[in-house]
Amino acid sequence: MPMSDLRRNRFERRRAETRHALVRAARQTLAESGGVSASIHAIAERADVGLGSFYNHFTGKPDLFDAAVADALEEYAQAVDERLHGVDDPAERLAGGVRISARMAESYPEIMQILCHSQLGRICAGDGLAPRAKRDVEEGMAAGRFTVVDPVIALTVLNGSLLALLDLSCNQPEADSDQAAGTMAEMILHMLGLSPDEARALARRPLPAAA
């Protein structure tokens, strides 16, 4: 490999490492306090990078925090994908995603704290879980599993239900979130067109074991 390519690869690797360190530091800051009082200098110091390097990657703190939330959501969505790997039925995947989400506070406490501090509504943005939910709804409709007419309305109901579930976990930690998630998954599947019996059975089917 020519020396110029080696230098370019080294530069790109270091650049990626710096960005990752900043995002990691921002995630920790958001989880701890919501980032309201944190300065760019403090975040850069936590990431162990120079202040000048910050502006090579982000225009300001909101830009960094957006990247941090997106990174956290994508990590969680990938974990859900891994847990449901091999589940082909979109209805079972959708129910599984809702039920696994109820355990976020226990299995991914940093991500839950990030969402609680930075508006739960961001979970319905274009990153992370939202495109997976859209995929499952569309595949379920195409396969005839779901009879809902309007996928936009279906996704709106699904997103609203998930936000309510996560809000319950944030503000009422003593509540039985597993039971609430199972009931919610059953109601969502029935709303999408499954019979009451099938919706109940799918919403209570044992989840795939964690890897």
Side-chain angles (χ1 to χ4, degrees), residues 118-176:
S118 61
Q119 299 179 353
L120 284 169
R122 297 175 83 156
I123 201 170
C124 299
D127 305 287
L129 298 176
R132 273 81 168 181
K134 183 173 184 291
R135 172 203 64 198
D136 291 340
V137 169
E138 291 176 346
E139 287 186 7
M141 293 177 67
R145 294 287 281 137
F146 301 150
T147 59
V148 62
V149 175
D150 190 334
V152 174
I153 297 299
L155 283 168
T156 300
V157 172
L158 176 58
N159 289 339
S161 299
L162 184 56
L163 292 179
L165 182 63
L166 295 178
D167 185 69
L168 179 70
S169 298
C170 276
N171 296 310
Q172 298 183 43
E174 74 282 358
D176 188 338

Side-chain angles (χ1 to χ4, degrees), residues 49-65:
V49 303
L51 189 59
S53 296
F54 177 95
Y55 291 103
N56 289 331
H57 296 273
F58 301 101
T59 59
K61 199 164 60 170
D63 186 25
L64 171 61
F65 283 166

Side-chain angles (χ1 to χ4, degrees), residues 55-143:
Y55 291 103
N56 289 331
H57 296 273
F58 301 101
T59 59
K61 199 164 60 170
D63 186 25
L64 171 61
F65 283 166
D66 283 345
V69 172
D71 184 73
L73 286 176
E74 185 60 27
E75 178 189 332
Y76 181 67
Q78 288 179 7
V80 173
D81 282 346
E82 291 173 7
R83 184 76 180 271
L84 298 176
H85 178 71
V87 177
D88 296 323
D89 179 14
E92 185 176 353
R93 279 203 311 267
L94 195 151
V98 171
R99 294 168 64 199
I100 293 169
S101 293
R103 302 178 181 183
M104 184 187 291
E106 179 180 346
S107 54
Y108 291 87
E110 182 193 75
I111 294 176
M112 174 58 83
Q113 287 303 314
I114 288 172
L115 291 175
C116 287
H117 282 309
S118 61
Q119 299 179 353
L120 284 169
R122 297 175 83 156
I123 201 170
C124 299
D127 305 287
L129 298 176
R132 273 81 168 181
K134 183 173 184 291
R135 172 203 64 198
D136 291 340
V137 169
E138 291 176 346
E139 287 186 7
M141 293 177 67

Side-chain angles (χ1 to χ4, degrees), residues 3-66:
M3 185 59 65
S4 59
D5 289 343
L6 286 172
R7 283 196 294 266
R8 187 179 304 110
N9 289 344
R10 191 181 305 119
F11 171 79
E12 292 299 334
R13 184 175 65 253
R14 288 176 178 169
R15 181 176 174 82
E17 289 170 353
T18 298
R19 188 183 191 281
H20 176 75
L22 286 165
V23 169
R24 179 73 253 172
R27 283 182 54 166
Q28 293 167 350
T29 300
L30 283 171
E32 291 170 1
S33 64
V36 175
S37 60
S39 67
I40 292 175
H41 181 272
I43 296 170
E45 190 173 69
R46 186 170 199 164
D48 195 25
V49 303
L51 189 59
S53 296
F54 177 95
Y55 291 103
N56 289 331
H57 296 273
F58 301 101
T59 59
K61 199 164 60 170
D63 186 25
L64 171 61
F65 283 166
D66 283 345

